[in-house]
Amino acid sequence: MRTNNVVGLIFSNAYDSAIPELTTLRTMGSVPFGGRYRLIDFVLSNMVNSGMTKVGVATKSNYQSLMDHLGSGKPWDLSRKNSGMYILPPFSTKDSGGVANRIELLQGCMNFLSHSKEEYVLLADCNVVCNVDFGELLEAHVASGADITAAYRRGVKPALNNLMSFAFADGRITGISVGAPTGEEEAYALNIFLMRKALLERLVNEAVSLHFDNFERDLFQRNLQTLKICGFEGKGFVRTLSSLQSFYDVNMELLHKENRKQLFTPERPVYTKVRDDMPTIYGLGSEVKNSLIADGCTIEGTVENSILFRGVHVGKGTVVRDSILMQGSMIGENARVCCVVMDKNGVLKPGKTLCGDKTFPIYIGKGIMI
Amino acid sequence: MSRNTECIAMLLAGGQGSRLGILTKHIAKPAVPYGGKYRIIDFPLSNCVNSGIYTVGVLTQYQPLELNDYIGNGQPWDLDRENGGVHILSPYQQIKGTAWYKNTANAIFQNINFIDRYNPKYVAILSGDHIYKMDYSKMLAYHKEKNADCTIAMLEVPWEEAPRFGLMLVDDDNAITEFEEKPKNPRSNKASMGVYMFTWEKLRRYLLEDEANPNSSNDFGHDLIPAMHEAGERMFAYPFDGYWKDVGTIDSLWEANLDLLDPKVDLDLTDTSWKIYSRNPSLPPHYISPDAAVQNSLIAGGCEIEGEVDFSVLFSDVVVEKGATVRDSIIMPGTVVRSGAVVQYAIVAENAVIEEGAVVGERPEAMQNLDDWGVAVVGEHITVGKDAVVAPKAMVDTDVSAVR
């Protein structure tokens, strides 16, 4: 089903606090992922590939890198005369003093929404990595006659604050809990919601007038009886990032061909900002095994089971294992790097050793020189 | 056009590049892929933008579809602009009839109206089929400093290669005293790079004169520039000493690609102050499997490498299966090399399939007679069947059937 009747609304800051290492300087949406992407690329590309042409990106804090990445929306074909991408800076009134929760954030987006002529609205976060056709979601939504359709996934629930898990009866959601993960298989929310725009406007206005401030409790749990809320199971490679560890693990999952095939399909490409790097140079004596390597790298040493972002340098005699090196990392000669997540433009001087563990990767902050 | 532009560039991109054989069967030479992710035309286009020239006319004629599509609105080069930007200029019908671009000078002549719209003081005439990085703004400054009417970029080439070029004799001030077009016994090794800077007012006059001359072949190097010289206009050579390569033949295309792997070669594409821009496909990073062995190579996005790759340039989305070998070769986008196949000393064009056990090309060491050796070429969308052999120097533009 064509989704050009759906306006998208992306929360770029949602769950920032889950991965504080990576989000102190940026939003969840601009967290680098998969060698050349930012997390927001996945949800934005999903929307665009499903035929949506109007997307608002709600921001709360630290959104400089996000704006730099999104630019005018050109890489996603969202730089348009009609519709396109709108960055929505936080909207705080004189007495509210900043934006605290998702309901206030939504309230700030009401103007954008009321000026959109689309009938439906799709809400999504950035910490879910997937390649999903939202057209199918809309189709399911219309077919079930639901008021709200919530995408979910079955599995062990990630440890995120207030993440909903659902109980079903007769095809609709009859129970919502926001408790801690049980460790058992649950149907947990992917925080992708589809509903009529008018309904969202009504729910937010009601919540604001009643001083409600909890999105999950006040918009969903309270309305379980009066609204028909249905589920839509996200299939394929769908992963929710909930910590540095899960960031590391999910990146590493891309080293499996099957996962890459599901996430990067030629029919629904993932778009991102272009950096115009040259292809990667493999020097004499380079030895690379089981690694995902972006453009613009220069590799003269050994790289195994790792993900190298654009423009990474690996010096002669150096060994990099089980690591994620973000854009512009420089690893000097004869160094050893093992189970490390190195943020952008980090430098490891020649001869140094950095070792973490697969269950406890070491994080090196942006631009740090060791 | 109210806003005056000091300098605009006209990029000659209509050439067939016939010596590239099947590689230019469906595309013009400037659209030929180069260096793992570029096309030749990215170099002059990026040079223009990096030099501050934001109005570029691209003259196309031979097989323009792919080139037009590639350039599009010029966005990858920041040439999608309100003022200026990139313009595709193809031959058009006029009241007098329809004329193809007869030659280089005639092509510019037919677009005098386009140039006049911008009313520039200077016009750079560039060729769309050379690989080089050059700051045209420095050349323009030189042109102004010499108070020249025409400045020609000049490169000193090895004497033994000089007979292949248009050569210039210059005095101590680099004023051009004489031209020699591909002489047998060269008196100079200062070759013209096909990069010209003209004062528009002068060029305009000579274009009109050249067109009116029935004996002229309407070529810049052959007719217009000698005519200017004879008339005593101020003509200077602008010395350039960097990497410059005309990728006119299969061998030179192959070499120019592999030059990127030679640290001694003065062509650094990693330099962020002079980026070469190109249209980028939306592909994930490339993947190197545990079974792969990659050495001394250039590999672009989307590739899946499970075999052996040595001293090669792989464009985007290339698959090298387990047990396959690619060495000393150029593999263009979307090509698949199946397991057990060997590709060596070869150029394989886009979306070809080299089936299991096939062998493309041969190492020069393995030849009995070196005269029979050369780079093998496999055309786009060609399948080389199982266990088939493509001989060195061969050019394959029909499927090669499998050997039973």
Side-chain angles (χ1 to χ4, degrees):
Chain A
M1 188 172 281
R2 293 291 294 171
T3 52
N4 51 8
N5 204 14
V6 182
V7 55
L9 190 56
I10 298 174
F11 297 97
S12 63
N13 283 95
Y15 299 115
D16 268 3
S17 54
I19 319 181
E21 297 90 342
L22 297 173
T23 55
T24 33
L25 296 171
R26 51 168 85 89
T27 63
M28 181 63 86
S30 44
V31 166
F33 183 86
R36 69 186 295 247
Y37 303 99
R38 303 288 184 136
L39 286 176
I40 197 169
D41 292 342
F42 294 92
V43 58
L44 258 186
S45 300
N46 283 338
M47 288 182 172
V48 170
N49 287 333
S50 311
M52 293 166 62
T53 54
K54 184 165 188 179
V55 180
V57 179
T59 58
K60 199 170 91 181
S61 54
N62 295 342
Y63 50 92
Q64 215 166 28
S65 69
L66 182 78
M67 288 182 72
D68 177 43
H69 177 70
L70 294 175
S72 65
K74 189 84 203 170
W76 302 269
D77 270 341
L78 286 174
S79 171
R80 299 165 57 103
K81 210 169 228 185
N82 293 307
S83 307
M85 186 196 70
Y86 296 77
I87 293 177
L88 307 169
F91 192 90
S92 55
T93 51
K94 228 183 273 171
D95 40 42
S96 70
V99 185
N101 56 54
R102 206 185 279 250
I103 290 180
E104 277 184 32
L105 211 52
L106 272 168
Q107 190 194 358
C109 300
M110 279 300 118
N111 208 19
F112 164 75
L113 286 177
S114 63
H115 280 99
S116 302
K117 57 184 189 319
E118 284 78 4
E119 189 182 349
Y120 297 96
V121 57
L122 182 72
L123 307 180
D125 291 347
C126 291
N127 64 326
V128 177
V129 176
C130 61
N131 195 333
V132 173
D133 183 357
F134 291 142
E136 288 174 16
L137 174 61
L138 177 63
E139 217 165 298
H141 179 77
V142 172
S144 67
D147 295 307
I148 300 176
T149 300
Y152 68 93
R153 182 179 158 77
R154 283 190 193 282
V156 176
K157 182 167 146 180
L160 286 170
N161 264 348
N162 274 351
L163 187 67
M164 295 187 277
S165 43
F166 302 131
F168 298 90
D170 305 328
R172 67 182 274 187
I173 294 173
T174 49
I176 297 178
S177 93
V178 292
T182 57
E184 309 273 303
E185 188 185 278
E186 294 175 74
Y188 60 87
L190 297 172
N191 282 353
I192 297 170
F193 306 106
L194 181 70
M195 65 191 93
R196 268 179 214 281
K197 198 185 73 177
L199 174 63
L200 180 69
E201 285 168 322
R202 180 168 69 83
L203 290 175
V204 171
N205 286 337
E206 274 175 17
V208 169
S209 61
L210 292 167
H211 269 296
F212 287 165
D213 57 5
N214 188 306
F215 181 76
E216 288 79 10
R217 182 189 62 210
D218 299 326
L219 254 55
F220 287 85
Q221 287 176 317
R222 274 184 206 278
N223 291 313
L224 254 186
Q225 307 305 319
T226 48
L227 295 175
K228 183 178 180 187
I229 305 179
C230 288
F232 175 83
E233 189 173 357
K235 298 221 171 77
F237 187 81
V238 181
R239 299 288 185 276
T240 301
L241 306 184
S242 56
S243 61
L244 186 68
Q245 182 69 48
S246 77
F247 169 83
Y248 176 83
D249 293 341
V250 175
N251 265 291
M252 289 304 172
E253 282 192 74
L254 295 180
L255 296 178
H256 297 287
K257 198 174 195 165
E258 268 319 297
N259 295 335
R260 282 201 306 281
K261 265 191 181 160
Q262 289 176 21
L263 191 59
F264 305 112
T265 69
E267 300 80 43
R268 293 198 303 269
V270 184
Y271 309 99
T272 190
K273 184 183 171 189
V274 166
R275 221 183 77 127
D276 286 295
D277 288 291
M278 73 177 296
T280 282
I281 305 170
Y282 289 85
L284 268 177
S286 68
E287 218 181 301
V288 179
K289 305 274 182 207
N290 191 34
S291 294
L292 201 59
I293 302 199
D295 273 359
C297 297
T298 305
I299 300 171
E300 294 179 288
T302 300
V303 178
E304 281 176 25
N305 312 327
S306 294
I307 293 179
L308 270 53
F309 283 66
R310 296 182 275 197
V312 170
H313 251 262
V314 177
K316 271 203 174 68
T318 288
V319 180
V320 174
R321 278 206 185 94
D322 305 301
S323 294
I324 300 170
L325 306 180
M326 291 188 198
Q327 193 171 310
S329 300
M330 308 280 279
I331 311 294
E333 292 178 6
N334 301 313
R336 265 179 64 81
V337 175
C338 188
C339 302
V340 164
V341 176
M342 186 175 261
D343 209 322
K344 276 177 75 175
N345 302 322
V347 178
L348 183 65
K349 289 272 178 91
K352 303 280 181 199
T353 300
L354 263 183
C355 267
D357 190 86
K358 282 183 190 175
T359 57
F360 196 83
I362 295 187
Y363 170 76
I364 308 296
K366 198 172 168 182
I368 285 180
M369 188 188 287
I370 299 170
Chain B
M1 187 62 53
S2 58
R3 205 157 105 183
N4 280 4
T5 310
E6 189 191 25
C7 180
I8 76 170
M10 299 294 275
L11 189 49
L12 299 161
Q16 177 186 353
S18 53
R19 286 173 302 159
L20 289 173
I22 53 175
L23 293 179
T24 52
K25 198 167 158 190
H26 300 294
I27 56 175
K29 185 174 161 191
V32 168
Y34 168 80
K37 70 179 291 199
Y38 308 97
R39 292 178 188 255
I40 297 171
I41 199 167
D42 289 330
F43 286 80
L45 276 180
S46 302
N47 285 340
C48 280
V49 173
N50 290 335
S51 308
I53 299 176
Y54 298 114
T55 306
V56 184
V58 178
L59 297 106
T60 62
Q61 175 155 292
Y62 173 80
Q63 289 284 6
L65 177 68
E66 183 120 352
L67 194 57
N68 293 358
D69 195 38
Y70 183 69
I71 293 173
N73 67 351
Q75 190 266 332
W77 304 270
D78 269 346
L79 286 172
D80 54 334
R81 292 171 60 93
E82 206 64 35
N83 284 293
V86 68
H87 300 259
I88 303 273
L89 303 169
S90 40
Y92 54 92
Q93 281 192 325
Q94 306 164 51
I95 200 138
K96 292 176 291 194
T98 308
W100 292 102
Y101 294 154
K102 277 182 282 181
N103 216 329
T104 49
N106 175 259
I108 304 295
F109 169 81
Q110 290 200 40
N111 288 291
I112 284 180
N113 288 342
F114 169 78
I115 303 174
D116 278 345
R117 280 168 60 91
Y118 290 94
N119 191 26
K121 199 141 192 279
Y122 307 99
V123 173
I125 307 287
L126 311 170
S127 153
D129 40 15
H130 299 146
I131 306 286
Y132 65 111
K133 298 205 304 187
M134 182 175 181
D135 189 342
Y136 304 134
S137 68
K138 285 191 182 147
M139 185 175 176
L140 178 61
Y142 179 90
H143 180 84
K144 288 193 237 176
E145 178 197 314
K146 298 284 182 192
N147 195 21
D149 300 309
C150 168
T151 302
I152 303 174
M154 159 190 94
L155 181 78
E156 291 194 18
V157 295
W159 280 93
E160 61 273 20
E161 283 181 35
R164 284 175 40 222
F165 294 95
L167 303 172
M168 294 177 277
L169 279 75
V170 296
D171 68 10
D172 293 344
D173 196 29
N174 277 332
I176 298 168
T177 55
E178 222 177 305
F179 288 99
E180 282 190 320
E181 190 66 23
K182 298 182 184 164
K184 277 213 179 71
N185 298 304
R187 287 182 291 148
S188 160
N189 68 336
K190 296 179 166 63
S192 160
M193 295 164 58
V195 175
Y196 310 105
M197 186 67 73
F198 287 98
T199 302
W200 173 231
E201 189 195 329
K202 280 278 160 68
L203 174 62
R204 195 178 193 285
R205 203 172 82 216
Y206 281 93
L207 283 172
L208 294 172
E209 279 177 18
D210 180 68
E211 190 61 21
N213 177 1
N215 298 321
S216 171
S217 60
N218 307 117
D219 183 77
F220 268 96
H222 220 260
D223 306 288
L224 189 134
I225 286 174
M228 278 184 89
H229 186 244
E230 261 166 51
E233 303 291 357
R234 289 181 64 82
M235 306 185 75
F236 284 83
Y238 172 72
F240 174 81
D241 64 340
Y243 183 91
W244 177 86
K245 199 147 202 163
D246 179 355
V247 285
T249 62
I250 294 293
D251 286 353
S252 66
L253 178 65
W254 181 76
E255 264 173 42
N257 271 286
L258 295 179
D259 275 349
L260 289 172
L261 297 172
D262 185 347
K264 292 194 285 286
V265 166
D266 182 23
L267 180 69
D268 179 12
L269 300 184
T270 58
D271 176 11
T272 48
S273 68
W274 203 270
K275 270 193 179 179
I276 302 301
Y277 302 98
S278 64
R279 205 171 271 283
N280 284 255
S282 294
L283 291 168
H286 65 261
Y287 175 73
I288 311 282
S289 88
D291 306 307
V294 179
Q295 287 267 318
N296 205 19
S297 292
L298 217 53
I299 299 187
C303 291
E304 296 270 331
I305 312 296
E306 296 177 11
E308 196 183 311
V309 178
D310 189 11
F311 202 54
S312 294
V313 174
L314 270 55
F315 285 72
S316 60
D317 233 358
V318 167
V319 177
V320 178
E321 289 186 357
K322 203 167 161 176
T325 302
V326 174
R327 54 179 168 240
D328 305 279
S329 294
I330 319 299
I331 315 283
M332 292 183 185
T335 286
V336 180
V337 182
R338 296 233 187 272
S339 76
V342 177
V343 177
Q344 49 194 355
Y345 293 92
I347 298 178
V348 182
E350 290 158 72
N351 301 314
V353 180
I354 313 297
E355 293 285 5
E356 282 171 37
V359 177
V360 176
E362 183 53 276
R363 286 179 300 173
E365 305 92 273
M367 299 295 290
Q368 293 199 329
N369 184 356
L370 260 186
D371 291 339
D372 298 333
W373 181 83
V375 173
V377 181
V378 176
E380 56 178 335
H381 296 287
I382 297 299
T383 301
V384 175
K386 197 167 174 239
D387 296 327
V389 173
V390 174
K393 230 179 190 170
M395 251 200 205
V396 180
D397 65 345
T398 49
D399 289 352
V400 181
S401 44
V403 175
R404 282 158 207 281

